[in-house]
Amino acid sequence: MRTEISPTINRHDWKAFAFHIPDISLTLELDNDLTTVTTQFTATMLHEGQHVLELQGEELTLVSLKVNGQLWDASRYSLDAQMLRIPLETTDSQIEIISQCSPAQNSALMGLYVSNQQLFTQCEPEGFRRITWFADRPDVMSRYRVTLIGDATRYPLMLSNGNLIATKQLPDGRQQAIWEDPFPKPSYLFAVVAGNFDCREKRVNTLSGREVLLQVYSDLGDGDKTEWALESLERSLRWDEQRFGLELDLDRYMIVAARDFNMGAMENKGLNVFNSAYVLADPQTTTDASYRDIEAVIGHEYFHNWTGNRVTCRDWFQLSLKEGLTVFREQEFSADMLADGLDSAEAASAKAVKRIDDVCTLRVAQFSEDRGPMAHPIRPESYEEISNFYTATIYEKGAEVIRMQHTLLGEADFQAGIKEYFRRHDGQAVTCDDFIDAMDSVYSRNNPGKNLNTFRRWYQQAGTPTVTVQEQYDAATRQYRLTLRQHNPAVGIERLNTNAAPKQPLLIPIKMGLLNQQGQPLRVELNGEHQHEFLLELDQAEQSWTFNHVDSQPVLSMLRDFSAPVQLHHEQSLDTLQLLARFDSNSFGRWEAAQQLARMALLALSSSEQHSVDIASVQAVVQVWEELLQDHSLSPAYLARILSLPSVRELQTLQDPMRPLDLAAARHTLQVHLGTRLATLWQQRYEQHQLPAQPYSPDALSAGHRALKNLALHYLAATASYSALALAETQYDNANNMTDSLAALQAIVYYAKPAVSQPYLDRFYAQWQHNPLVVDRWFSVQACSPQTDVAALRTLMQHPAFTLRNPNRARSLIFQFCMNNSTSIHRPEGYEFWAEQVIALDALNPEIAARLARAFDNWAHYAEPQRHALHTAFLRLQEQAQSANVTEIIGKALNI
Ligand code: TRP
Ligand code: ZN
């Protein structure tokens, strides 16, 4: 049974903290086993009188408490497992707390912890309270002065936020470093790192000519793998100057790589701590996708310096204020980097590749979240454990909500709105309302009679709206009438609140255009404007638009660039989709049409008994794929996306009830069918996209060639033909980069007999066993293989390199198996295994355990026998869950 309880926190219960704490001084006597922290600050009452200073603290030992210089005994304050309460009478009270914590015992990786013998902190959202008692909430902002003391050989480097003020040697082999961060900040942005690291650095000038020092720290011996990270950091700095006019405000900006890390990275002021997977790169060990991911995460954390740190969140309900905006900024940065140096037509299709990848993530992770018991608005109304709300909704849907504002305002006005936001709120802890108020001030000024009032509902309402499309063409009047209906049913916890007001229509920006039957864009008239493309603002439950001068029955290209995070209900014929897949001038729309054909074929295949490929939708896919394979005007990166089949997880979000085993079988059938029918074309593409012998480069064009070549390899290998597998073996033997070796290894492991694949796995392991990030890959390939069942997975867990304690390792094996091995997980023993691992992880790392628990939180959408088996597994989990994190997930999952 659970041992921790978390009451529900409600957004409307927020109250300002009763004290100001403008300055805080921390002295940490660092030691992996027992660290002593001295915390000193002056607490100033906001209103005269008697007030209790409430300071959070967890897993700490109190050594002493002094108030105004006097030692207080336990009778004068109250202390429980969560909180230290100090009753105060003076307006200003000097507080001194001496406390201790045990970093080496900290397997949750929140607060101060040990990774590879070095010390790291992770404070967001509520980790600072595991370092000392404090007002651990984002609206309490203080200037930090940090003194680090530790053994000089154990911790030659001792880092914290801001500027290094002084260092000195102490007797008995210790040393001391004093850091000062000039910017007031909430406790969640505090950081300390201590140990021995390699460092790569560069001095650059900011836009206004200030010299700043950029540094990337990594474990000893990894210093040769940080070049890409440092370059990415510099590109991020330049891009934020150029696109947003935002400059680095510090003299020194540090990134440190940690092996053990719960998420991707953390934007601590001036001292970002990163999962080493998002820092370390070299051609031999890093895939193309990882190069892009590293650049994206470095950008993300860097952009937080303005959107998150300079302006922060008032409370955790506002999390999307910083995360949605920062994800949006990262998406734009990544897209601009892909388009760098291209002409405008090429740039548009290069950026579409990034949009496609982001929309795939949104659909797989966020749309499914919206269907499950954890569905929440981007600004939630309540939570039990805030760590559970670092979700796809907050991040990815949050970014979509910002993107829609960008679409509605246009780049110039959006930038004006951002400027206004910083003018109003620089240095403050604010709310999502404050953000949209700033945007609305520009929008309503420049669009008389309009405002963002209806749009704001995106912040309040959960769920993926459905938009139903109805078309009507009248040849006599040459008019085309488009009718759209939006539907926003209650989802998740919204359904429990039966007396809530019905949900209201949202403002949904819809980018669309019309094509003629030859696929050419039509220039038509709407409300006096003659254009090829329109932005419709759907803000009623039902609305119609009538286009004039439409000479023939048009084809609708809807929701271009995925201009809103909605699910379309649009009955389109196979012919219409084929036409769009051939001709839509919008790259995203073209991809979407081809994917829609594939979705229709896969859903049809999965519901037919014999999995017969003799159906019209499969034939349409074959035709379109055949044409695309011969189209040499499209970039290889784009082709690699448009020719990929939707994942089982994406398809699941379209099914009710969900039959993942049928979907996986259907997907395999179609993959093999396309591989067989189009073998010659795949073979040609495979050869055409081989890069001439040259050193590896992660640039987008080369990566595109590799992506398409490896997709061709995958289609061919799926047929399990001798020649295709020989191709994979040759590629493995000759590869000079990880993208190609891993693609080949994957093809072999998925489709060859174990007698063939095992020697390759053994060779791969022997070669890379000393590189943890590559060993993660080795586990992942096997975890996802259709040939790996639960028994094989358990054997892999016995491997000496496996440990649940390292989140990357747990993710590479356990999470990959549970989330991406559709053929093996959806069996009774699969679910048993999953529940067992949730419990095992819960004892070590509740945050990670809760994420694993969420893998099946939408159990009620599964068909039988999965539904019942999952329900049983959840009931067992309910008995055994320990942490508040897992308890919340299970409670919500069972309460639907
Ligand atoms: N704020 C971080 C980001 O999005 C992520 C983060 C939140 C995090 N909580 C964390 C990272 C806990 C590690 C551990 O960039
Ligand atoms: Zn972030």
Side-chain angles (χ1 to χ4, degrees):
M1 271 316 269
R2 74 199 222 177
T3 53
E4 288 179 33
I5 37 146
S6 275
T8 297
I9 322 269
N10 293 299
R11 181 165 73 87
H12 291 289
D13 292 343
W14 177 85
K15 279 194 209 66
F17 194 58
F19 295 84
H20 269 315
I21 307 180
D23 295 282
I24 170 172
S25 157
L26 290 171
T27 301
L28 286 88
E29 290 166 72
L30 298 170
D31 180 83
N32 286 6
D33 294 315
L34 191 67
T35 288
T36 304
V37 181
T38 304
T39 306
Q40 295 168 310
F41 57 85
T42 300
T44 304
M45 283 176 191
L46 284 185
H47 308 285
E48 297 288 308
Q50 285 188 353
H51 293 283
V52 178
L53 178 65
E54 296 192 332
L55 305 176
Q56 287 91 358
E58 281 172 16
E59 319 257 312
L60 295 171
T61 308
L62 182 60
V63 177
S64 67
L65 168 65
K66 278 186 191 169
V67 179
N68 294 325
Q70 280 193 339
L71 207 55
W72 277 25
D73 66 38
S75 66
R76 301 183 68 179
Y77 57 84
S78 100
L79 178 63
D80 63 25
Q82 328 279 339
M83 190 93 84
L84 172 62
R85 291 182 176 82
I86 311 174
L88 296 175
E89 281 160 13
T90 47
T91 314
D92 292 315
S93 308
Q94 284 168 284
I95 308 291
E96 184 194 282
I97 301 164
I98 300 182
S99 59
Q100 288 179 321
C101 59
S102 309
Q105 304 299 309
N106 181 353
S107 60
L109 313 183
M110 289 299 278
L112 184 64
Y113 68 92
V114 177
S115 175
N116 196 28
Q117 304 306 312
Q118 339 232 49
L119 281 169
F120 294 89
T121 56
Q122 171 57 40
C123 293
E124 186 180 6
E126 298 182 335
F128 192 70
R129 62 188 63 183
R130 290 164 174 260
I131 299 172
T132 180
W133 277 277
F134 197 62
D136 193 12
R137 43 186 286 170
D139 55 347
V140 174
M141 296 171 74
S142 320
R143 258 182 307 270
Y144 282 67
R145 180 186 169 88
V146 178
T147 304
L148 301 174
I149 298 170
D151 186 281
T153 45
R154 267 212 98 127
Y155 314 112
L157 276 158
M158 300 193 299
L159 311 174
S160 191
N161 319 81
N163 301 314
L164 181 59
I165 300 301
T167 53
K168 101 172 165 219
Q169 297 304 312
L170 301 176
D172 61 30
R174 299 199 302 170
Q175 62 168 346
Q176 168 182 298
I178 300 176
W179 291 82
E180 245 175 42
D181 183 354
F183 295 94
K185 64 169 175 287
S187 53
Y188 83 86
L189 291 173
F190 168 79
V192 161
V193 173
N196 202 359
F197 299 91
D198 280 347
C199 177
R200 180 188 295 271
E201 62 181 39
K202 184 172 182 188
R203 280 169 208 281
V204 300
N205 288 313
T206 65
L207 193 60
S208 68
R210 233 167 15 85
E211 189 183 89
V212 297
L213 175 61
L214 308 180
Q215 296 183 308
V216 180
Y217 291 91
S218 55
D219 282 354
L220 293 181
D222 283 339
D224 56 344
K225 298 195 184 71
T226 52
E227 191 179 345
W228 177 256
L230 187 59
E231 288 168 6
S232 299
L233 180 58
E234 193 181 350
R235 283 195 289 274
S236 307
L237 179 146
R238 291 290 165 240
W239 182 86
D240 216 9
E241 292 179 342
Q242 282 157 17
R243 177 91 185 259
F244 276 78
L246 296 171
E247 206 176 306
L248 180 58
D249 57 10
L250 291 156
D251 301 332
R252 178 169 179 164
Y253 192 98
M254 298 172 279
I255 287 176
V256 191
R259 281 192 192 187
D260 301 276
F261 200 74
N262 279 356
M263 308 248 280
M266 179 62 214
E267 70 264 25
N268 316 303
K269 185 82 186 185
L271 179 57
N272 292 179
V273 177
F274 271 61
N275 186 325
S276 57
Y278 296 106
V279 176
L280 305 178
D282 73 9
Q284 271 62 53
T285 60
T286 308
T287 60
D288 293 330
S290 282
Y291 271 95
R292 274 0 300 179
D293 289 347
I294 291 169
E295 183 180 67
V297 177
I298 292 206
H300 180 104
E301 307 312 328
Y302 180 81
F303 305 140
H304 265 316
N305 191 50
W306 279 94
T307 50
N309 301 3
R310 284 290 284 253
V311 181
T312 194
C313 303
R314 187 192 71 174
D315 54 70
W316 292 121
F317 295 102
Q318 320 298 329
L319 183 56
S320 200
L321 172 78
K322 74 177 177 80
E323 295 304 346
L325 179 53
T326 303
V327 171
F328 170 76
R329 275 153 52 70
E330 171 274 306
Q331 291 175 347
E332 290 295 290
F333 165 65
S334 296
D336 285 347
M337 293 302 110
L338 286 178
D340 193 32
L342 301 179
D343 70 36
S344 72
E346 287 174 330
S349 97
K351 288 183 186 186
V353 166
K354 171 68 176 161
R355 187 68 188 132
I356 287 166
D357 291 347
D358 290 338
V359 171
C360 286
T361 308
L362 183 80
R363 283 183 168 145
V364 167
Q366 203 279 323
F367 282 19
S368 56
E369 185 159 84
D370 262 344
R371 294 177 95 198
M374 274 287 287
H376 53 279
I378 63 167
R379 184 189 54 204
E381 294 299 335
S382 69
Y383 60 76
E384 288 171 35
E385 174 52 62
I386 185 57
S387 302
N388 286 337
F389 282 78
Y390 286 74
T391 58
T393 298
I394 302 291
Y395 278 69
E396 270 70 40
K397 187 178 178 184
E400 293 300 318
V401 172
I402 302 292
R403 179 173 298 280
M404 288 189 283
Q405 294 175 50
H406 184 266
T407 302
L408 289 166
L409 273 77
E411 170 74 7
D413 281 3
F414 181 84
Q415 291 297 344
I418 290 281
K419 225 174 165 176
E420 179 64 9
Y421 172 63
F422 287 119
R423 192 190 66 76
R424 294 181 183 185
H425 300 299
D426 189 11
Q428 300 173 9
V430 305
T431 63
C432 295
D433 283 328
D434 292 320
F435 180 82
I436 197 156
D437 284 347
M439 284 293 162
D440 208 355
S441 74
V442 173
Y443 184 74
S444 53
R445 170 164 27 91
N446 294 349
N447 300 275
K450 289 171 119 182
N451 60 50
L452 294 175
N453 288 351
T454 306
F455 184 83
R456 285 170 197 256
R457 293 175 188 155
W458 282 102
Y459 285 85
Q460 295 159 23
Q461 297 183 177
T464 307
T466 55
V467 173
T468 308
V469 181
Q470 194 187 322
E471 305 174 75
Q472 209 180 355
Y473 177 64
D474 184 346
T477 58
R478 298 194 303 151
Q479 284 185 332
Y480 169 80
R481 190 175 160 87
L482 178 64
T483 303
L484 302 179
R485 292 184 185 84
Q486 59 170 306
H487 186 50
N488 303 288
V491 293
I493 47 177
E494 286 176 336
R495 289 191 295 176
L496 301 178
N497 189 356
T498 41
N499 51 18
K503 288 164 74 175
Q504 293 176 292
L506 299 158
L507 168 51
I508 302 178
I510 295 196
K511 203 188 273 190
M512 51 73 68
L514 298 176
L515 279 60
N516 67 16
Q517 297 295 330
Q518 286 69 51
Q520 281 137 357
L522 281 175
R523 207 173 125 90
V524 297
E525 186 259 5
L526 176 69
N527 303 329
E529 296 202 44
H530 294 260
Q531 282 162 206
H532 289 108
E533 186 170 86
F534 295 88
L535 185 67
L536 309 180
E537 295 179 13
L538 171 64
D539 62 359
Q540 314 283 319
E542 177 181 331
Q543 231 165 315
S544 294
W545 290 264
T546 301
F547 298 82
N548 297 306
H549 310 305
V550 186
D551 290 331
S552 59
Q553 171 81 49
V555 169
L556 170 62
S557 160
M558 228 339 232
L559 205 65
R560 289 181 161 179
D561 299 328
F562 206 66
S563 59
V566 300
Q567 188 92 59
L568 280 186
H569 283 196
H570 188 189
E571 288 203 7
Q572 287 165 300
S573 67
L574 296 176
D575 286 346
T576 300
L577 287 167
Q578 286 197 49
L579 186 110
L580 287 166
R582 281 189 195 116
F583 298 116
D584 197 344
S585 59
N586 187 264
S587 304
F588 180 86
R590 193 171 173 183
W591 170 84
E592 182 79 309
Q595 292 291 303
Q596 183 59 19
L597 282 173
R599 285 179 210 124
M600 287 166 71
L602 288 165
L603 290 171
L605 269 179
S606 79
S607 58
S608 78
E609 280 298 305
Q610 335 71 340
H611 297 308
S612 160
V613 289
D614 245 355
I615 50 178
S617 53
V618 170
Q619 281 153 8
V621 171
V622 175
Q623 263 179 35
V624 167
W625 260 235
E626 185 170 13
E627 279 173 41
L628 288 167
L629 272 166
Q630 296 173 85
D631 185 334
H632 290 272
S633 67
L634 294 167
S635 79
Y638 181 78
L639 275 171
R641 268 54 174 201
I642 200 168
L643 295 170
S644 292
L645 296 179
S647 66
V648 171
R649 281 173 65 201
E650 186 196 318
L651 293 164
Q652 277 182 222
T653 68
L654 304 171
Q655 254 191 345
D656 210 351
M658 308 191 295
R659 301 181 187 280
L661 287 171
D662 293 343
L663 288 173
R667 192 174 186 279
H668 182 67
T669 302
L670 187 55
Q671 190 104 31
V672 172
H673 184 62
L674 288 165
T676 314
R677 284 286 307 270
L678 307 175
T680 314
L681 291 170
W682 291 120
Q683 187 73 40
Q684 282 167 6
R685 284 289 184 175
Y686 184 78
E687 279 147 28
Q688 280 157 10
H689 296 278
Q690 297 281 358
L691 295 170
Q694 61 186 17
Y696 169 88
S697 151
D699 69 272
L701 192 61
S702 313
H705 286 298
R706 281 187 289 269
L708 185 51
K709 177 193 67 178
N710 287 324
L711 183 74
L713 177 66
H714 201 82
Y715 272 104
L716 291 167
T719 67
S721 77
Y722 180 79
S723 62
L725 291 171
L727 215 57
E729 291 175 22
T730 309
Q731 174 166 324
Y732 186 86
D733 293 338
N734 297 335
N736 76 340
N737 65 82
M738 186 48 74
T739 306
D740 285 344
S741 1
L742 210 57
L745 184 69
Q746 192 190 36
I748 297 166
V749 170
Y750 281 26
Y751 302 116
K753 298 200 171 64
V756 174
S757 58
Q758 196 56 50
Y760 281 90
L761 283 165
D762 294 345
R763 260 169 73 192
F764 188 94
Y765 186 78
Q767 188 176 357
W768 300 116
Q769 57 183 312
H770 302 299
N771 183 320
L773 296 174
V774 184
V775 173
D776 288 339
R777 305 278 190 181
W778 183 79
F779 278 114
S780 289
V781 168
Q782 298 176 77
C784 298
S785 165
Q787 301 200 37
T788 302
D789 58 13
V790 172
L793 201 91
R794 288 189 191 276
T795 307
L796 278 167
M797 286 180 71
Q798 298 305 313
H799 192 280
F802 183 75
T803 167
L804 269 185
R805 288 181 177 264
N806 174 262
N808 286 358
R809 195 57 47 88
R811 280 185 281 254
S812 72
L813 192 62
I814 311 290
F815 281 65
Q816 287 295 339
F817 182 74
C818 292
M819 301 179 76
N820 292 325
N821 194 330
S822 317
T823 46
S824 299
I825 192 67
H826 298 290
R827 308 190 182 267
E829 68 275 18
Y831 296 153
E832 245 165 66
F833 170 81
W834 159 74
E836 210 178 280
Q837 299 311 316
V838 171
I839 295 306
L841 272 167
D842 198 27
L844 296 170
N845 189 327
E847 224 180 287
I848 302 291
R851 283 189 189 270
L852 188 61
R854 289 209 52 199
F856 298 106
D857 64 359
N858 55 0
W859 61 272
H861 285 289
Y862 283 85
E864 297 298 0
Q866 277 82 10
R867 187 182 195 275
H868 178 75
L870 281 167
H871 188 212
T872 310
F874 265 111
L875 290 172
R876 210 181 48 247
L877 277 177
Q878 192 179 31
E879 299 282 299
Q880 296 175 20
Q882 295 281 329
S883 67
N885 305 58
V886 173
T887 302
E888 174 172 28
I889 302 304
I890 293 168
K892 290 199 157 82
L894 289 175
N895 218 330
I896 44 167

